[in-house]
């Protein structure tokens, strides 16, 4: 009979990191520069919209939300990634791994949701210009922002719960960071429910990404640490 530690490993190991010797410090510097650029650009956007009253409009409020989301997502990825670049061992504790899974997936879901809302905002502005101000009121914008945050929080939280309860028979992740599906693949038991929920989430994000593609040109190309392709 397997021990509790073998079914619930305390650490995961990333297997895609290679030993580049002194070059790893160059990679570290480049990635740190990228991270600082993302942080600086999004802070500038947030401060500009906040200080310029003429930009207190729904579209710019949504862009500001995208900037906050980008800061949130990049904070869930880059600090740990930078540490792993210069580290000789690439282990991450089970709780921290699941936290990173939650942050990155929540970031991506919020990104798609906000871009879909921005597409709706542009639809109303272009197709119903006379009704735009009566529809996109401050109350409506508040409700949309609340929806864009709450739905991913609950959806990703439920997905993470399904993954965290699984007994695992390994601890090696063929990734550079923690991802939900590789963890599920380590399970010792049937994962049909996880597969169904994961597939439903992917289909939902696919539907959201279609209107989001129409809006992506309105936002800064450095708002996000990663992009979702538009098909």
């Amino acid at each position: 009979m397997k021990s509790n530690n073998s079914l619930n490993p305390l650490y995961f190991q990333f297997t895609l990191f290679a030993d580049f010797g002194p070059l790893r410090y160059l990679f570290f510097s480049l990635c740190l520069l990228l991270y600082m650029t993302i942080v600086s650009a999004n802070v500038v956007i947030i401060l500009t919209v906040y200080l310029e009253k003429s930009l207190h409009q729904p579209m710019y409020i949504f862009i500001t939300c995208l900037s906050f989301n980008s800061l949130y997502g990049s904070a869930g990825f880059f600090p740990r990634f930078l540490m792993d670049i210069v580290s000789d061992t690439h282990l991450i504790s089970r709780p921290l791994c699941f936290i990173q899974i939650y942050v990155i997936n929540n970031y991506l879901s919020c990104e798609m949701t906000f871009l879909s809302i921005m597409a709706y905002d542009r639809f109303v502005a272009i197709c119903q210009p006379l009704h735009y101000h009566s529809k996109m009121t401050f109350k409506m914008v508040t409700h949309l922002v609340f929806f864009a945050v709450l739905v991913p929080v609950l959806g990703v939280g439920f997905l993470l719960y399904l993954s965290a309860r699984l007994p695992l028979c390994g601890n090696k992740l063929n990734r550079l960071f923690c991802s939900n599906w590789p963890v599920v693949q380590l399970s010792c038991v049937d994962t049909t429910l996880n597969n169904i929920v994961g597939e439903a989430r992917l289909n939902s994000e696919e539907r959201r990404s279609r209107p989001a593609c129409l809006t992506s040109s309105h936002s800064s190309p450095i708002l996000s640490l990663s992009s979702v392709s538009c098909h």
Side-chain angles (χ1 to χ4, degrees), residues 156-223:
V156 175
F158 178 66
L159 186 68
L160 190 67
Y161 163 75
L162 294 178
S163 300
R165 69 184 178 85
L166 294 173
L168 305 178
C169 290
N171 71 335
K172 296 185 183 297
L173 300 177
N174 190 32
R175 291 289 189 277
L176 296 175
F177 59 94
C178 286
S179 182
N180 185 63
W181 180 238
V183 172
V184 172
Q185 288 181 309
L186 297 175
S187 174
C188 306
V189 298
D190 181 70
T191 59
T192 300
L193 180 58
N194 297 72
N195 297 341
I196 293 174
V197 174
E199 185 65 28
R201 178 174 172 269
L202 287 175
N203 291 336
S204 175
E205 290 192 352
E206 175 74 18
R207 288 193 297 271
R208 288 202 300 265
S209 70
R210 290 170 185 170
C213 293
L214 301 176
T215 315
S216 59
S217 62
H218 290 275
S219 58
S220 170
I222 51 178
L223 283 174

Side-chain angles (χ1 to χ4, degrees), residues 43-55:
V43 168
V44 168
I45 291 173
I46 292 170
L47 291 177
T48 300
V49 174
Y50 175 76
L51 296 175
E52 182 57 55
K53 294 187 181 299
S54 63
L55 298 180

Side-chain angles (χ1 to χ4, degrees), residues 62-73:
F62 297 142
I63 289 177
T64 301
C65 291
L66 282 178
S67 292
F68 275 114
N69 188 51
S70 181
L71 293 175
Y72 168 70

Side-chain angles (χ1 to χ4, degrees), residues 64-93:
T64 301
C65 291
L66 282 178
S67 292
F68 275 114
N69 188 51
S70 181
L71 293 175
Y72 168 70
S74 58
F77 171 76
F78 275 102
R80 174 70 207 192
F81 181 67
L82 290 169
M83 185 177 71
D84 280 323
I85 290 177
V86 296
S87 176
D88 293 323
T89 59
H90 307 103
L91 300 175
I92 183 171
S93 68

